[in-house]
Amino acid sequence: MMFFFLFSVSGNASNPEFKKKKNSECLLRLRHEGLLNSCPAGVASCPASSCPFRSPRSPRLKLLESALLLGPRPTAGGMEFSELIRTGRAQAELLRGPGAPPLRGTLCVTGHHLLLSPGPQATSDLWLLLLRSVDSIEKRVAGDSGTITLRCKDLRVLQLDIEGVEATLDIARSIEALSSLESVITSFPFFYRPKGLRLGDAWHFHPPEHYYKRVARETNAWRLSEVNEDFSVCPSYPRAVIVPRAVDDDALARSARFRQGGRFPMLSYHHAPSGTVLLRSSQPLTGPQKRRCAEDEELLRAVLAGARPGARGFIVDTRSAQAAKQARMTGGGTEAKAAYPGWKRLHRPMERGRPLQESFVRLVEACGDLEQSMDRWLSRLEGCRWLAHVKEALSTACLAAQGMEREGACILVHGAEGTDSTLLVTSLAQLILDPLSRTMTGFQELVEREWIQAGHPFQLRCAHSAFSHARPKHEAPTFLLFLDCVWQLGRQFPLSLEFGEGLLLALFEHAYASPFGTFLCNSEKERCLCEVRTRTHSLWSGLNQPKEQRKLRNPLYVLNPLAIWPSVEPQSLRLWQGLFLRWTRPPEPSEAAWEKVWQIVTDKEKTEGSQPTVSASEPQP
Amino acid sequence: MSLLRGLLGMELIGISVRPFLDFQERLTLLGTFFILIDKEVIYICPFNGPIKGRVYITNYRLYLRSLETDSALILDVPLGVISRIEKMGGATSRGENSYGLDITCKDMRNLRFALKQEGHSRRDMFEILTRHAFPLAHSLPIFAFLNEEKFNVDGWMVYNPVEEYRRQGLPNHHWRITFINKCYELCDTYPSLLVVPYRASDEDLRRVATFRSRNRIPVLSWIHPENKTVIVRCSQPLVGMSGKRNKDDEKYLDVIRETNRQISKLTIYDARPNVNAVANKATGGGYESDDAYHNAELFFLDIHNIHVMRESLKKVKDIVYPNVEESHWLSSLESTHWLEHIKLVLTGAIQVADKVSSGKSSVLVHCSDGWDRTAQLTSLAMLMLDSFYRSIEGFEILVQKEWISFGHKFASRIGHGDKNHADADRSPIFLQFIDCVWQMSKQFPTAFEFNEQFLITILDHLYSCRFGTFLYNCESARERQKVTERTVSLWSLINSNKDKFKNPFYTKEINRVLYPVASMRHLELWVNYYIRWNPRIKQQQPNPVEQRYLELLALRDEYIKRLEELQLANSAKLSDPSTSPSSPSQMMPHVQTHF
């Protein structure tokens, strides 16, 4: 139920010093005692932290304690985690909202986690919360006890009733300090070592080279360039990018100097049926002087020439014409008509940044406001404008996809930086057009290629979720908006996506706080500097374990070779209840229903042997 | 062309594609029909603009075939759904398509036809439509009495009250079946067979009847199989301004309470808002007071009356037809209050179900006359409590029992064959109930044996007058008209082709109580019903089965294309003498025999 925040114990710390002899002894013990193998999900260790609790109630806890205490103490910005932990331990009761029974036991703060170990008579196991997932914390004391309300980044609200005023305040301060640490390399993914996964696995699932192989099978007009080998041309691009064959690396470098952040136009998707391409970039730096760049113009000319003779192009600018014009004052701007023959500019203003974050905050507030009279719910929902943003995103993606499929045109998408709404449009357009991107691996590849490697600044955008009281800086729920749009697609085309709501929810959670390294940092360059690939586990290997599949896959999936054109009419778009009302509704019916659909499908599979998903969606005789 | 026809006729992988029958065949689908009109008109489609077509009117339907695009069938409207026919424009009106007919339908759409202005060209169409859409005003029979359709199952056999009560374990020590209303002399709007407490004599029942509006005494609707608590339905007590009391009624409720020994109080749910219940005293009605009924607890459920519901649905139509109010969709939807009413009905039913199931107290439900809101509450609560009613036949029995036999005034609420479109008695109470069922089926996708199509079909034939099922206001009137002998039941149609109405994900579960979430956050507008005439909505395929059909159709189109290419290639090869004779010549006959 807690999904990934409650993962099973199966690993041990491996920060460098941890390999010392005396520790391995203890880890060996952990393994021998069966703790690492036999614990049901719900038990976890936080090996990297210093946990000072002295009288654990179960032998399991005792073991944990010894492992934790023996472990070296990683530092956070020169300070040890232990210095941030005021009080390690207190008696507490945890309320997890409707549907889940309260838990009572010993509460303990460690470097990365909040642990609650239930009393001896309790049947449930350790409860564990990644501190990184705490978005806001509120404390209240009365008499000789206190209450801490934790609002998590996955929109859960937890309440802890703690014995002792001092303990409450100390624990609150500890959580506050530890949950807002900004250092990447002391974050939990660098210490998380789940059993059954090997470091380095799955990091090479979806490199640009892999996608290039597919493009190369379809057309000869594109090549894989390593002009960005050392991230000097564009710090937010990956090392390898797909560019027109006719354009050499020098020209690329010059075009990069003409684009904000060096994000020159590169291939996002090749649509084989129409022979057209989807490109993305950042805005050109035309500035007030209306500068031009021959190489940049040549690049876009080569794109059209490579598609087919006489091909046209559309530049989809995700800003209003007005905003694009104004950007010239600050050095940006937009492509001049005369400079790019064959290309036509279209403006589709999309909300981004602060207003988007505010819309998210308002929506979550409305969803969590259970006291307020519900007569005004629909107008309040409308007032949040979230569904309007969903509509904007989907209709702009439809426009781009339509341009390719129906007009046979090449499409270049950009806004200003080209790292937010641009990616939203290019990734959604691919989902609409490309059946492969609607498969389980195809979608993971899409997220990896079009969001993570494409330089969406996850670290900045997802620093806080909707509850934080901190002054918003760079936060924006662009990725969540993408997931919501995908959910709308899945609702409108219930058989055409191989993955289900479970995967989208998991991606949302992990983007904001995760034991895996996949969503760390803002770009490939930063990930390289932090050695994310070699020192953390990839989310994809975590998700692709067989035991996760039932939660993540869509049992009704059948390959749909057609484009799926979503309706963006207001009555076709719904609030994503599974996410926004996830913790306030009883989860039972929908989860039970999901489980039953699986049963039906797998039963049919057993009895019929072949083509299970096709028959499952038909009425039964 | 022949290739195409072959493919169209072919059944795809065992799925019967929606039949594209020959037009004549389609007309003769019904036993008795005769074409009354066959003339050229312009149909002013609100979505695609004016369409030139031929209109055919039979005594059951109106058809429109396009004269332009492949003579496609554009409209197929049972005359029963027509609520109002108006002439628009006059012989001298100017402007294109300004002269014709404007038809308002009961199923959330309007039809507009333009005709030639010369020679009173609309007169015959207007008159024939009026006669056959409103037969009652012209002393003509309703179409259901002319319909000679035959089905291989008899839907009238679905509901047998004795069997249904036996299924519930009745009669038992506390409840008996009485025939006191055999000839409808106790209560003319109740069924002939009633279940009442064992300890109440027929004489008691007669005395209680004098104190209940329209003699609708409290009788059993459902009994809990384990804790033996019951749902009892009735009409309001005739308390009046003076606050009258009736010892027999008080005693009777106490007898009901005592049939279940687990709790001291009987719970009374008055479906109305408190103020309305008080206001009813002025017209002789009222509610059970604390002083008179010591052992009962009364709660008001705040559900509004039929007039409020009618106006609310009207507002829904305003924002969805013909065009969807796009700019402020959600707040417009909110201002119709439709979902809010749905919420109140569901909330009420949940309270009834919860009281019976967990509260272990018997429940008495009434509103004013006990045939609108009461029917909604008892039937929805029963649907939540008893999984039997969630099967196709079980649901048919539920509708037959709680709605049809207990005198929901279908004739007045729907106005079958009646021309008084503005009649204040009309109200979408049954539609609201079906909407609530749909909301539940959304929240519990595996709990119901039937699918959305089943609910829509029921609603379509609520108006169509093709079947006798929903005709007349009560059982006694139906018996007088010999409805079961002279008409066909809707359940005959449905039960003879059940597959079409089945939910592929249904899993039978005994004894599971469903508590839907009746919060505004979890209720949705039933787009596939209310906005179904909008072609933009039609493109959407939220129903997996329908989507699957459409996907298969698209695949079929692709196969046709591929086969045509293949044939072209083959014929090219055949005409080319240099090709080796072996493969193509062997393939051709194969391809041809296949079709």
Side-chain angles (χ1 to χ4, degrees), chain A residues 366-367 369 374-379 382 492 496 560 567 569 571 574 577 581 588-589 593 596 617, chain B residues 324 326 328-331 334 443 445-446 507 509 512 520-522 524 527 536 540-541 545 548 551:
Chain A
C367 289
D369 185 357
M374 274 299 106
D375 312 347
R376 309 282 300 150
W377 163 250
L378 288 173
S379 48
E382 185 175 276
Q492 293 188 20
S496 298
N560 176 358
S567 160
E569 309 292 309
Q571 67 277 13
R574 300 285 156 80
Q577 295 188 352
L581 302 178
E588 185 259 333
K596 267 180 215 150
S617 59
Chain B
V324 174
E326 283 207 24
H328 295 286
W329 166 247
L330 290 175
S331 43
E334 182 175 272
Q443 293 190 21
T446 61
T507 355
E509 279 181 301
R512 179 179 174 212
M520 285 302 284
R521 290 185 173 87
H522 294 89
E524 289 178 17
V527 168
R536 289 198 196 159
Q540 293 312 301
Q541 304 111 24
V545 180
R548 192 74 204 113
E551 285 177 349

Side-chain angles (χ1 to χ4, degrees), chain A residues 381-392:
Chain A
L381 180 60
E382 185 175 276
C384 296
R385 308 245 328 125
W386 181 260
L387 288 173
H389 302 318
V390 170
K391 183 189 158 112
E392 268 165 24

Side-chain angles (χ1 to χ4, degrees), chain B residues 264-526:
Chain B
S264 55
K265 293 230 171 179
L266 175 75
T267 310
I268 301 175
Y269 285 110
D270 188 325
R272 302 166 291 185
N274 194 343
V275 267
N276 295 29
V278 173
N280 258 289
K281 284 186 175 180
T283 50
Y287 54 91
E288 293 81 356
S289 68
D290 289 347
D291 316 339
Y293 299 85
H294 299 292
N295 289 325
E297 258 183 308
L298 178 82
F299 300 96
F300 294 100
L301 295 178
D302 289 324
I303 302 170
H304 284 278
N305 62 25
I306 59 167
H307 312 293
V308 175
M309 301 310 178
R310 180 181 57 238
E311 294 315 308
S312 172
L313 186 68
K314 239 181 221 164
K315 286 186 197 150
V316 173
K317 185 171 175 180
D318 286 344
I319 64 161
V320 301
Y321 192 91
N323 296 309
V324 174
E325 168 64 50
E326 283 207 24
S327 53
H328 295 286
W329 166 247
L330 290 175
S331 43
S332 316
L333 181 59
E334 182 175 272
S335 65
T336 69
H337 298 290
W338 182 254
L339 289 178
E340 216 179 305
H341 296 314
I342 297 277
K343 182 190 88 172
L344 285 170
V345 173
L346 273 174
T347 310
I350 292 167
Q351 288 185 58
V352 173
D354 184 50
K355 203 48 136 185
V356 170
S357 167
S358 347
K360 305 216 182 338
S361 154
S362 285
V363 166
L364 180 128
V365 184
H366 70 71
C367 45
S368 298
D369 288 320
W371 52 42
D372 292 309
R373 288 166 276 197
T374 301
Q376 289 179 331
L377 290 170
T378 57
S379 55
L380 285 171
M382 287 156 76
L383 200 60
M384 290 168 196
L385 290 164
D386 192 337
S387 60
F388 170 72
Y389 298 123
R390 307 198 281 259
S391 65
I392 287 182
E393 289 212 10
F395 190 77
E396 292 167 357
I397 287 170
L398 183 70
V399 169
Q400 202 74 44
K401 177 178 184 299
E402 288 303 297
W403 289 85
I404 298 171
S405 84
F406 271 97
H408 172 67
K409 302 207 293 174
F410 280 104
S412 307
R413 298 289 175 259
I414 307 301
H416 293 127
D418 176 57
K419 69 176 188 330
N420 302 312
H421 62 88
D423 192 328
D425 258 355
R426 295 209 185 163
S427 187
I429 301 301
F430 187 72
L431 164 63
Q432 198 172 45
F433 158 71
I434 296 289
D435 194 330
C436 291
V437 176
W438 178 82
Q439 304 281 355
M440 281 178 70
S441 73
K442 275 263 125 177
Q443 293 190 21
F444 300 94
T446 61
F448 294 85
E449 192 192 3
F450 46 84
N451 59 18
E452 188 176 53
Q453 195 51 44
F454 175 74
L455 299 176
I456 292 180
T457 304
I458 290 176
L459 289 177
D460 281 346
H461 294 297
L462 173 65
Y463 309 118
S464 78
C465 294
R466 176 169 156 192
F467 302 102
T469 302
F470 296 115
L471 298 183
Y472 299 102
N473 282 331
C474 56
E475 199 176 286
S476 62
R478 254 167 248 128
E479 209 155 278
R480 273 198 304 282
Q481 300 294 337
K482 298 192 170 57
V483 167
T484 52
E485 293 156 45
R486 294 168 59 208
T487 70
V488 181
S489 162
L490 167 60
W491 316 130
S492 303
L493 171 86
I494 285 173
N495 294 354
S496 61
N497 189 12
K498 264 192 189 170
D499 283 353
K500 201 177 147 194
F501 303 106
K502 276 189 180 165
N503 168 13
F505 307 124
Y506 175 55
T507 355
K508 202 169 173 174
E509 279 181 301
I510 316 286
N511 295 337
R512 179 179 174 212
V513 182
L514 304 185
Y515 291 114
V517 184
S519 132
M520 285 302 284
R521 290 185 173 87
H522 294 89
L523 299 179
E524 289 178 17
L525 183 75
W526 188 6

Side-chain angles (χ1 to χ4, degrees), chain A residues 397-419:
Chain A
C398 281
L399 176 84
Q402 238 162 13
M404 297 172 75
E405 162 121 335
R406 302 205 174 147
E407 314 266 326
C410 297
I411 308 283
L412 166 67
V413 184
H414 71 70
E417 293 96 338
T419 53

